[in-house]
Amino acid sequence: MELKDSKEKQKTYETLFDKPYQKDIQLLPFFELLVEMSNEGLLKGLGGKLKGLKIAPYYGCMLARPPKMNKQKNHYGLIEKTMASLGGEPVQWPFLSTCCGTFLSVSRPEISTKLVNRIMQGAIKSGAECIVTACAMCHLNLEIRCRPENQLPVFHFSELLSLALEGNGSKGWFKRHLINPQSLMEKRHLIPFVQG
Amino acid sequence: MDKIVINETSGEFSKQVEKLSHANLSRCLHCLACSGGCPFAEDMEYLPNTIIRMIQFGLKEKVLKSSTIWLCVGCNTCSMECPNAVDMAAIMDSLRQMAISEHSLIAEPGILSFHNAVVDSIFRHGRTHKLEIMMKYKFSQKDLFSDMDLGLKMLAKKKLDLPPPTA
């Protein structure tokens, strides 16, 4: 955003990366790509494979931004929109944008544990069957710092997208989850779970 | 909360912070929206808006030595809550910079060593090598065994790569 408007910043870019600045290249966050796709109607009627799956959408602090960007468009609601177009049912819950503790999970795990379990309990109370996040760091923190009694499967939303879209291309992938989503996936007839 | 005794005044402090963070401290209404929204507030020595007040009083040493500035992860929740567009996260960021450059006592050395391990790794490989970062951090803390079971589980699930990443 700033790079586009500032000649000075473009110069810094050129000296840092030793490449000319190309003003036609536009950086598009993954999220915005999905907005575009949804605007063009590409996310509609995808078969409803996630039918009835109750989802707690979790953005964490990913969409929070400095006041300078207050007037930019915001993307809250996109996980809900995408998941609903695949047949999922997003729930309303209070922790959708509460930070998971990021790196404090390493250096002050007790703080992160407290936050993560608060978030997980909130999701369970809201009646969700799983949490869908858009951030890999949140995904990891929710899985590793969650106490056994609060465990709820966590998916990155691209995982559910691929599940709903491509059928069995993700075989063997879901066993890499630290919170095993197998029973939920079987219950919802989502994918044959490959053991091994 | 305990009383904060004003026993030092660094008149330049608030100007320094404003210059580094590009935030306008005098816009703060002390409405506590930032402190109410901050997920880490309950573990902080001083609340985020208290930090602003302390900067205004010139309590440089107290602020730079506090745990608050290190427990802030810069998640920007406060900046979203603030009705008056004070960039709290940027203020915390500049306070961390000042604490390092002025060799102030670091209240949370563990957090700083973790940051350093991450930055070192990026300098070496062009991106992060998680296993190396964790090993370095664990050695710096002389704490090799906490989360050991977790690390092994993550290795088994192929969540940590053994060789460093190729750029």
Side-chain angles (χ1 to χ4, degrees), chain B residues 73-110:
Chain B
V73 303
C75 72
N76 267 318
T77 307
C78 46
S79 310
M80 296 280 281
E81 305 274 351
C82 182
N84 231 10
V86 177
D87 196 344
M88 193 69 227
I91 295 172
M92 292 292 190
D93 221 359
S94 49
L95 292 172
R96 286 189 287 270
Q97 282 177 38
M98 284 168 86
I100 295 171
S101 65
E102 308 204 0
H103 306 290
S104 150
L105 186 103
I106 308 291
E108 293 280 343

PDB file of all heavy atoms in Angstrom, chain B residues 73-110:
ATOM      1  N   VAL B  73       2.423  -8.748  22.156  1.00  0.00           N
ATOM      2  CA  VAL B  73       2.884  -9.473  20.978  1.00  0.00           C
ATOM      3  C   VAL B  73       2.621  -8.678  19.706  1.00  0.00           C
ATOM      4  O   VAL B  73       2.901  -9.131  18.608  1.00  0.00           O
ATOM      5  CB  VAL B  73       2.230 -10.866  20.847  1.00  0.00           C
ATOM      6  CG1 VAL B  73       2.475 -11.688  22.086  1.00  0.00           C
ATOM      7  CG2 VAL B  73       0.750 -10.762  20.549  1.00  0.00           C
ATOM      8  N   GLY B  74       2.049  -7.484  19.859  1.00  0.00           N
ATOM      9  CA  GLY B  74       1.754  -6.679  18.675  1.00  0.00           C
ATOM     10  C   GLY B  74       0.601  -7.240  17.870  1.00  0.00           C
ATOM     11  O   GLY B  74       0.603  -7.180  16.649  1.00  0.00           O
ATOM     12  N   CYS B  75      -0.415  -7.789  18.551  1.00  0.00           N
ATOM     13  CA  CYS B  75      -1.532  -8.398  17.818  1.00  0.00           C
ATOM     14  C   CYS B  75      -2.481  -7.321  17.289  1.00  0.00           C
ATOM     15  O   CYS B  75      -3.385  -7.612  16.522  1.00  0.00           O
ATOM     16  CB  CYS B  75      -2.292  -9.397  18.687  1.00  0.00           C
ATOM     17  SG  CYS B  75      -3.305  -8.672  19.989  1.00  0.00           S
ATOM     18  N   ASN B  76      -2.280  -6.074  17.714  1.00  0.00           N
ATOM     19  CA  ASN B  76      -3.059  -4.941  17.204  1.00  0.00           C
ATOM     20  C   ASN B  76      -4.506  -4.879  17.662  1.00  0.00           C
ATOM     21  O   ASN B  76      -5.285  -4.081  17.147  1.00  0.00           O
ATOM     22  CB  ASN B  76      -3.041  -4.910  15.662  1.00  0.00           C
ATOM     23  CG  ASN B  76      -1.913  -4.034  15.149  1.00  0.00           C
ATOM     24  OD1 ASN B  76      -1.673  -2.956  15.682  1.00  0.00           O
ATOM     25  ND2 ASN B  76      -1.210  -4.495  14.144  1.00  0.00           N
ATOM     26  N   THR B  77      -4.883  -5.749  18.617  1.00  0.00           N
ATOM     27  CA  THR B  77      -6.252  -5.701  19.120  1.00  0.00           C
ATOM     28  C   THR B  77      -6.540  -4.319  19.729  1.00  0.00           C
ATOM     29  O   THR B  77      -7.595  -3.734  19.497  1.00  0.00           O
ATOM     30  CB  THR B  77      -6.476  -6.791  20.179  1.00  0.00           C
ATOM     31  OG1 THR B  77      -6.088  -8.041  19.618  1.00  0.00           O
ATOM     32  CG2 THR B  77      -7.935  -6.872  20.607  1.00  0.00           C
ATOM     33  N   CYS B  78      -5.562  -3.802  20.489  1.00  0.00           N
ATOM     34  CA  CYS B  78      -5.733  -2.485  21.118  1.00  0.00           C
ATOM     35  C   CYS B  78      -5.952  -1.408  20.068  1.00  0.00           C
ATOM     36  O   CYS B  78      -6.815  -0.536  20.221  1.00  0.00           O
ATOM     37  CB  CYS B  78      -4.497  -2.152  21.956  1.00  0.00           C
ATOM     38  SG  CYS B  78      -2.941  -2.487  21.110  1.00  0.00           S
ATOM     39  N   SER B  79      -5.178  -1.496  18.986  1.00  0.00           N
ATOM     40  CA  SER B  79      -5.301  -0.476  17.948  1.00  0.00           C
ATOM     41  C   SER B  79      -6.678  -0.524  17.297  1.00  0.00           C
ATOM     42  O   SER B  79      -7.202   0.487  16.844  1.00  0.00           O
ATOM     43  CB  SER B  79      -4.232  -0.678  16.875  1.00  0.00           C
ATOM     44  OG  SER B  79      -2.975  -0.819  17.466  1.00  0.00           O
ATOM     45  N   MET B  80      -7.275  -1.733  17.258  1.00  0.00           N
ATOM     46  CA  MET B  80      -8.614  -1.871  16.695  1.00  0.00           C
ATOM     47  C   MET B  80      -9.661  -1.314  17.669  1.00  0.00           C
ATOM     48  O   MET B  80     -10.686  -0.793  17.259  1.00  0.00           O
ATOM     49  CB  MET B  80      -8.945  -3.337  16.428  1.00  0.00           C
ATOM     50  CG  MET B  80      -8.083  -4.008  15.398  1.00  0.00           C
ATOM     51  SD  MET B  80      -8.594  -3.618  13.734  1.00  0.00           S
ATOM     52  CE  MET B  80      -9.991  -4.731  13.542  1.00  0.00           C
ATOM     53  N   GLU B  81      -9.395  -1.478  18.982  1.00  0.00           N
ATOM     54  CA  GLU B  81     -10.367  -1.042  19.985  1.00  0.00           C
ATOM     55  C   GLU B  81     -10.358   0.469  20.164  1.00  0.00           C
ATOM     56  O   GLU B  81     -11.364   1.072  20.522  1.00  0.00           O
ATOM     57  CB  GLU B  81     -10.062  -1.683  21.351  1.00  0.00           C
ATOM     58  CG  GLU B  81      -9.973  -3.197  21.348  1.00  0.00           C
ATOM     59  CD  GLU B  81     -11.320  -3.855  21.528  1.00  0.00           C
ATOM     60  OE1 GLU B  81     -12.282  -3.137  21.813  1.00  0.00           O
ATOM     61  OE2 GLU B  81     -11.409  -5.081  21.369  1.00  0.00           O
ATOM     62  N   CYS B  82      -9.205   1.106  19.979  1.00  0.00           N
ATOM     63  CA  CYS B  82      -9.043   2.511  20.337  1.00  0.00           C
ATOM     64  C   CYS B  82      -9.999   3.410  19.558  1.00  0.00           C
ATOM     65  O   CYS B  82     -10.001   3.435  18.338  1.00  0.00           O
ATOM     66  CB  CYS B  82      -7.611   2.952  20.087  1.00  0.00           C
ATOM     67  SG  CYS B  82      -7.348   4.671  20.565  1.00  0.00           S
ATOM     68  N   PRO B  83     -10.846   4.167  20.281  1.00  0.00           N
ATOM     69  CA  PRO B  83     -11.797   5.037  19.591  1.00  0.00           C
ATOM     70  C   PRO B  83     -11.112   6.279  19.036  1.00  0.00           C
ATOM     71  O   PRO B  83     -11.693   7.024  18.247  1.00  0.00           O
ATOM     72  CB  PRO B  83     -12.784   5.416  20.695  1.00  0.00           C
ATOM     73  CG  PRO B  83     -12.008   5.315  21.955  1.00  0.00           C
ATOM     74  CD  PRO B  83     -10.994   4.237  21.747  1.00  0.00           C
ATOM     75  N   ASN B  84      -9.873   6.506  19.474  1.00  0.00           N
ATOM     76  CA  ASN B  84      -9.225   7.734  19.055  1.00  0.00           C
ATOM     77  C   ASN B  84      -7.989   7.486  18.195  1.00  0.00           C
ATOM     78  O   ASN B  84      -7.124   8.347  18.067  1.00  0.00           O
ATOM     79  CB  ASN B  84      -8.866   8.565  20.290  1.00  0.00           C
ATOM     80  CG  ASN B  84      -9.368   9.984  20.144  1.00  0.00           C
ATOM     81  OD1 ASN B  84     -10.126  10.271  19.217  1.00  0.00           O
ATOM     82  ND2 ASN B  84      -8.941  10.860  21.032  1.00  0.00           N
ATOM     83  N   ALA B  85      -7.909   6.285  17.637  1.00  0.00           N
ATOM     84  CA  ALA B  85      -6.848   5.919  16.697  1.00  0.00           C
ATOM     85  C   ALA B  85      -5.432   6.145  17.226  1.00  0.00           C
ATOM     86  O   ALA B  85      -4.569   6.651  16.528  1.00  0.00           O
ATOM     87  CB  ALA B  85      -7.048   6.651  15.377  1.00  0.00           C
ATOM     88  N   VAL B  86      -5.211   5.750  18.479  1.00  0.00           N
ATOM     89  CA  VAL B  86      -3.836   5.762  18.996  1.00  0.00           C
ATOM     90  C   VAL B  86      -3.217   4.399  18.669  1.00  0.00           C
ATOM     91  O   VAL B  86      -3.790   3.370  18.996  1.00  0.00           O
ATOM     92  CB  VAL B  86      -3.807   5.983  20.527  1.00  0.00           C
ATOM     93  CG1 VAL B  86      -2.381   5.917  21.045  1.00  0.00           C
ATOM     94  CG2 VAL B  86      -4.444   7.307  20.885  1.00  0.00           C
ATOM     95  N   ASP B  87      -2.058   4.421  18.013  1.00  0.00           N
ATOM     96  CA  ASP B  87      -1.452   3.150  17.599  1.00  0.00           C
ATOM     97  C   ASP B  87      -0.635   2.564  18.745  1.00  0.00           C
ATOM     98  O   ASP B  87       0.584   2.676  18.799  1.00  0.00           O
ATOM     99  CB  ASP B  87      -0.588   3.377  16.359  1.00  0.00           C
ATOM    100  CG  ASP B  87      -0.270   2.070  15.661  1.00  0.00           C
ATOM    101  OD1 ASP B  87      -0.455   1.007  16.290  1.00  0.00           O
ATOM    102  OD2 ASP B  87       0.158   2.107  14.498  1.00  0.00           O
ATOM    103  N   MET B  88      -1.344   1.904  19.654  1.00  0.00           N
ATOM    104  CA  MET B  88      -0.710   1.336  20.849  1.00  0.00           C
ATOM    105  C   MET B  88       0.363   0.315  20.494  1.00  0.00           C
ATOM    106  O   MET B  88       1.436   0.280  21.102  1.00  0.00           O
ATOM    107  CB  MET B  88      -1.819   0.654  21.672  1.00  0.00           C
ATOM    108  CG  MET B  88      -1.448   0.276  23.071  1.00  0.00           C
ATOM    109  SD  MET B  88      -1.223   1.725  24.084  1.00  0.00           S
ATOM    110  CE  MET B  88       0.307   1.323  24.864  1.00  0.00           C
ATOM    111  N   ALA B  89       0.083  -0.527  19.501  1.00  0.00           N
ATOM    112  CA  ALA B  89       1.041  -1.573  19.142  1.00  0.00           C
ATOM    113  C   ALA B  89       2.354  -0.948  18.676  1.00  0.00           C
ATOM    114  O   ALA B  89       3.442  -1.444  18.994  1.00  0.00           O
ATOM    115  CB  ALA B  89       0.450  -2.477  18.065  1.00  0.00           C
ATOM    116  N   ALA B  90       2.257   0.159  17.942  1.00  0.00           N
ATOM    117  CA  ALA B  90       3.472   0.827  17.470  1.00  0.00           C
ATOM    118  C   ALA B  90       4.236   1.441  18.649  1.00  0.00           C
ATOM    119  O   ALA B  90       5.469   1.454  18.671  1.00  0.00           O
ATOM    120  CB  ALA B  90       3.111   1.907  16.457  1.00  0.00           C
ATOM    121  N   ILE B  91       3.493   1.916  19.646  1.00  0.00           N
ATOM    122  CA  ILE B  91       4.139   2.485  20.834  1.00  0.00           C
ATOM    123  C   ILE B  91       4.938   1.395  21.557  1.00  0.00           C
ATOM    124  O   ILE B  91       6.103   1.569  21.893  1.00  0.00           O
ATOM    125  CB  ILE B  91       3.087   3.089  21.790  1.00  0.00           C
ATOM    126  CG1 ILE B  91       2.401   4.287  21.126  1.00  0.00           C
ATOM    127  CG2 ILE B  91       3.723   3.505  23.110  1.00  0.00           C
ATOM    128  CD1 ILE B  91       1.216   4.844  21.897  1.00  0.00           C
ATOM    129  N   MET B  92       4.309   0.248  21.754  1.00  0.00           N
ATOM    130  CA  MET B  92       4.993  -0.873  22.418  1.00  0.00           C
ATOM    131  C   MET B  92       6.235  -1.287  21.634  1.00  0.00           C
ATOM    132  O   MET B  92       7.274  -1.582  22.200  1.00  0.00           O
ATOM    133  CB  MET B  92       4.043  -2.073  22.535  1.00  0.00           C
ATOM    134  CG  MET B  92       2.897  -1.855  23.478  1.00  0.00           C
ATOM    135  SD  MET B  92       3.474  -1.745  25.189  1.00  0.00           S
ATOM    136  CE  MET B  92       1.922  -1.789  26.043  1.00  0.00           C
ATOM    137  N   ASP B  93       6.102  -1.298  20.317  1.00  0.00           N
ATOM    138  CA  ASP B  93       7.209  -1.666  19.453  1.00  0.00           C
ATOM    139  C   ASP B  93       8.389  -0.721  19.660  1.00  0.00           C
ATOM    140  O   ASP B  93       9.533  -1.151  19.820  1.00  0.00           O
ATOM    141  CB  ASP B  93       6.738  -1.586  17.997  1.00  0.00           C
ATOM    142  CG  ASP B  93       7.251  -2.741  17.180  1.00  0.00           C
ATOM    143  OD1 ASP B  93       7.980  -3.572  17.753  1.00  0.00           O
ATOM    144  OD2 ASP B  93       6.908  -2.819  15.987  1.00  0.00           O
ATOM    145  N   SER B  94       8.088   0.584  19.695  1.00  0.00           N
ATOM    146  CA  SER B  94       9.182   1.534  19.851  1.00  0.00           C
ATOM    147  C   SER B  94       9.780   1.460  21.257  1.00  0.00           C
ATOM    148  O   SER B  94      10.980   1.684  21.428  1.00  0.00           O
ATOM    149  CB  SER B  94       8.731   2.949  19.506  1.00  0.00           C
ATOM    150  OG  SER B  94       7.547   3.239  20.162  1.00  0.00           O
ATOM    151  N   LEU B  95       8.963   1.098  22.249  1.00  0.00           N
ATOM    152  CA  LEU B  95       9.507   0.953  23.606  1.00  0.00           C
ATOM    153  C   LEU B  95      10.479  -0.226  23.676  1.00  0.00           C
ATOM    154  O   LEU B  95      11.513  -0.153  24.336  1.00  0.00           O
ATOM    155  CB  LEU B  95       8.374   0.768  24.619  1.00  0.00           C
ATOM    156  CG  LEU B  95       7.482   1.997  24.824  1.00  0.00           C
ATOM    157  CD1 LEU B  95       6.284   1.642  25.689  1.00  0.00           C
ATOM    158  CD2 LEU B  95       8.269   3.146  25.445  1.00  0.00           C
ATOM    159  N   ARG B  96      10.135  -1.309  22.942  1.00  0.00           N
ATOM    160  CA  ARG B  96      11.060  -2.451  22.909  1.00  0.00           C
ATOM    161  C   ARG B  96      12.373  -2.050  22.255  1.00  0.00           C
ATOM    162  O   ARG B  96      13.455  -2.379  22.741  1.00  0.00           O
ATOM    163  CB  ARG B  96      10.419  -3.630  22.172  1.00  0.00           C
ATOM    164  CG  ARG B  96       9.345  -4.345  22.966  1.00  0.00           C
ATOM    165  CD  ARG B  96       8.909  -5.622  22.277  1.00  0.00           C
ATOM    166  NE  ARG B  96       8.103  -5.367  21.085  1.00  0.00           N
ATOM    167  CZ  ARG B  96       6.772  -5.250  21.091  1.00  0.00           C
ATOM    168  NH1 ARG B  96       6.118  -5.394  22.218  1.00  0.00           N
ATOM    169  NH2 ARG B  96       6.108  -5.026  19.983  1.00  0.00           N
ATOM    170  N   GLN B  97      12.256  -1.312  21.130  1.00  0.00           N
ATOM    171  CA  GLN B  97      13.473  -0.841  20.460  1.00  0.00           C
ATOM    172  C   GLN B  97      14.324  -0.016  21.408  1.00  0.00           C
ATOM    173  O   GLN B  97      15.544  -0.186  21.484  1.00  0.00           O
ATOM    174  CB  GLN B  97      13.104   0.046  19.277  1.00  0.00           C
ATOM    175  CG  GLN B  97      12.640  -0.697  18.048  1.00  0.00           C
ATOM    176  CD  GLN B  97      12.239   0.291  16.971  1.00  0.00           C
ATOM    177  OE1 GLN B  97      12.868   1.330  16.793  1.00  0.00           O
ATOM    178  NE2 GLN B  97      11.179  -0.014  16.243  1.00  0.00           N
ATOM    179  N   MET B  98      13.673   0.892  22.145  1.00  0.00           N
ATOM    180  CA  MET B  98      14.415   1.757  23.059  1.00  0.00           C
ATOM    181  C   MET B  98      15.056   0.950  24.177  1.00  0.00           C
ATOM    182  O   MET B  98      16.201   1.200  24.554  1.00  0.00           O
ATOM    183  CB  MET B  98      13.496   2.833  23.639  1.00  0.00           C
ATOM    184  CG  MET B  98      13.189   3.937  22.654  1.00  0.00           C
ATOM    185  SD  MET B  98      11.850   4.991  23.224  1.00  0.00           S
ATOM    186  CE  MET B  98      12.726   6.143  24.209  1.00  0.00           C
ATOM    187  N   ALA B  99      14.330  -0.017  24.708  1.00  0.00           N
ATOM    188  CA  ALA B  99      14.865  -0.830  25.801  1.00  0.00           C
ATOM    189  C   ALA B  99      16.143  -1.534  25.344  1.00  0.00           C
ATOM    190  O   ALA B  99      17.118  -1.638  26.094  1.00  0.00           O
ATOM    191  CB  ALA B  99      13.832  -1.843  26.261  1.00  0.00           C
ATOM    192  N   ILE B 100      16.145  -2.015  24.093  1.00  0.00           N
ATOM    193  CA  ILE B 100      17.331  -2.705  23.585  1.00  0.00           C
ATOM    194  C   ILE B 100      18.465  -1.710  23.333  1.00  0.00           C
ATOM    195  O   ILE B 100      19.578  -1.888  23.811  1.00  0.00           O
ATOM    196  CB  ILE B 100      17.005  -3.474  22.288  1.00  0.00           C
ATOM    197  CG1 ILE B 100      16.005  -4.597  22.588  1.00  0.00           C
ATOM    198  CG2 ILE B 100      18.267  -4.055  21.674  1.00  0.00           C
ATOM    199  CD1 ILE B 100      15.444  -5.281  21.364  1.00  0.00           C
ATOM    200  N   SER B 101      18.141  -0.599  22.620  1.00  0.00           N
ATOM    201  CA  SER B 101      19.221   0.307  22.230  1.00  0.00           C
ATOM    202  C   SER B 101      19.787   1.053  23.445  1.00  0.00           C
ATOM    203  O   SER B 101      20.942   1.457  23.442  1.00  0.00           O
ATOM    204  CB  SER B 101      18.737   1.291  21.167  1.00  0.00           C
ATOM    205  OG  SER B 101      17.758   2.130  21.720  1.00  0.00           O
ATOM    206  N   GLU B 102      19.006   1.200  24.506  1.00  0.00           N
ATOM    207  CA  GLU B 102      19.519   1.914  25.672  1.00  0.00           C
ATOM    208  C   GLU B 102      19.985   0.958  26.769  1.00  0.00           C
ATOM    209  O   GLU B 102      20.191   1.350  27.911  1.00  0.00           O
ATOM    210  CB  GLU B 102      18.451   2.873  26.209  1.00  0.00           C
ATOM    211  CG  GLU B 102      17.919   3.752  25.108  1.00  0.00           C
ATOM    212  CD  GLU B 102      17.329   5.053  25.597  1.00  0.00           C
ATOM    213  OE1 GLU B 102      17.327   5.286  26.809  1.00  0.00           O
ATOM    214  OE2 GLU B 102      16.898   5.832  24.727  1.00  0.00           O
ATOM    215  N   HIS B 103      20.156  -0.314  26.390  1.00  0.00           N
ATOM    216  CA  HIS B 103      20.650  -1.342  27.317  1.00  0.00           C
ATOM    217  C   HIS B 103      19.917  -1.325  28.646  1.00  0.00           C
ATOM    218  O   HIS B 103      20.532  -1.435  29.707  1.00  0.00           O
ATOM    219  CB  HIS B 103      22.158  -1.179  27.544  1.00  0.00           C
ATOM    220  CG  HIS B 103      22.922  -1.149  26.275  1.00  0.00           C
ATOM    221  ND1 HIS B 103      23.078  -2.270  25.488  1.00  0.00           N
ATOM    222  CD2 HIS B 103      23.527  -0.141  25.626  1.00  0.00           C
ATOM    223  CE1 HIS B 103      23.759  -1.949  24.402  1.00  0.00           C
ATOM    224  NE2 HIS B 103      24.047  -0.657  24.454  1.00  0.00           N
ATOM    225  N   SER B 104      18.628  -1.163  28.572  1.00  0.00           N
ATOM    226  CA  SER B 104      17.845  -1.182  29.791  1.00  0.00           C
ATOM    227  C   SER B 104      17.707  -2.634  30.266  1.00  0.00           C
ATOM    228  O   SER B 104      17.958  -3.576  29.515  1.00  0.00           O
ATOM    229  CB  SER B 104      16.486  -0.555  29.471  1.00  0.00           C
ATOM    230  OG  SER B 104      15.499  -1.079  30.263  1.00  0.00           O
ATOM    231  N   LEU B 105      17.349  -2.806  31.525  1.00  0.00           N
ATOM    232  CA  LEU B 105      17.120  -4.153  32.030  1.00  0.00           C
ATOM    233  C   LEU B 105      15.932  -4.774  31.284  1.00  0.00           C
ATOM    234  O   LEU B 105      14.894  -4.123  31.162  1.00  0.00           O
ATOM    235  CB  LEU B 105      16.803  -4.070  33.531  1.00  0.00           C
ATOM    236  CG  LEU B 105      16.674  -5.409  34.224  1.00  0.00           C
ATOM    237  CD1 LEU B 105      17.946  -5.688  35.013  1.00  0.00           C
ATOM    238  CD2 LEU B 105      15.463  -5.428  35.135  1.00  0.00           C
ATOM    239  N   ILE B 106      16.092  -5.979  30.781  1.00  0.00           N
ATOM    240  CA  ILE B 106      15.013  -6.621  30.028  1.00  0.00           C
ATOM    241  C   ILE B 106      14.192  -7.485  30.979  1.00  0.00           C
ATOM    242  O   ILE B 106      14.691  -8.467  31.524  1.00  0.00           O
ATOM    243  CB  ILE B 106      15.590  -7.502  28.894  1.00  0.00           C
ATOM    244  CG1 ILE B 106      16.581  -6.719  28.025  1.00  0.00           C
ATOM    245  CG2 ILE B 106      14.468  -8.108  28.054  1.00  0.00           C
ATOM    246  CD1 ILE B 106      15.989  -5.646  27.166  1.00  0.00           C
ATOM    247  N   ALA B 107      12.918  -7.121  31.148  1.00  0.00           N
ATOM    248  CA  ALA B 107      12.090  -7.816  32.131  1.00  0.00           C
ATOM    249  C   ALA B 107      11.811  -9.263  31.733  1.00  0.00           C
ATOM    250  O   ALA B 107      11.610 -10.116  32.581  1.00  0.00           O
ATOM    251  CB  ALA B 107      10.777  -7.075  32.327  1.00  0.00           C
ATOM    252  N   GLU B 108      11.774  -9.523  30.434  1.00  0.00           N
ATOM    253  CA  GLU B 108      11.467 -10.872  29.962  1.00  0.00           C
ATOM    254  C   GLU B 108      12.568 -11.340  29.021  1.00  0.00           C
ATOM    255  O   GLU B 108      12.369 -11.425  27.797  1.00  0.00           O
ATOM    256  CB  GLU B 108      10.116 -10.884  29.216  1.00  0.00           C
ATOM    257  CG  GLU B 108       8.911 -10.607  30.087  1.00  0.00           C
ATOM    258  CD  GLU B 108       8.473 -11.837  30.873  1.00  0.00           C
ATOM    259  OE1 GLU B 108       8.881 -12.964  30.522  1.00  0.00           O
ATOM    260  OE2 GLU B 108       7.737 -11.650  31.857  1.00  0.00           O
ATOM    261  N   PRO B 109      13.758 -11.685  29.557  1.00  0.00           N
ATOM    262  CA  PRO B 109      14.877 -12.050  28.681  1.00  0.00           C
ATOM    263  C   PRO B 109      14.550 -13.248  27.788  1.00  0.00           C
ATOM    264  O   PRO B 109      15.050 -13.337  26.661  1.00  0.00           O
ATOM    265  CB  PRO B 109      16.019 -12.377  29.649  1.00  0.00           C
ATOM    266  CG  PRO B 109      15.403 -12.494  30.993  1.00  0.00           C
ATOM    267  CD  PRO B 109      14.121 -11.751  30.974  1.00  0.00           C
ATOM    268  N   GLY B 110      13.686 -14.149  28.276  1.00  0.00           N
ATOM    269  CA  GLY B 110      13.327 -15.323  27.480  1.00  0.00           C
ATOM    270  C   GLY B 110      12.659 -14.935  26.178  1.00  0.00           C
ATOM    271  O   GLY B 110      12.962 -15.477  25.114  1.00  0.00           O
TER     272      GLY B 110
END
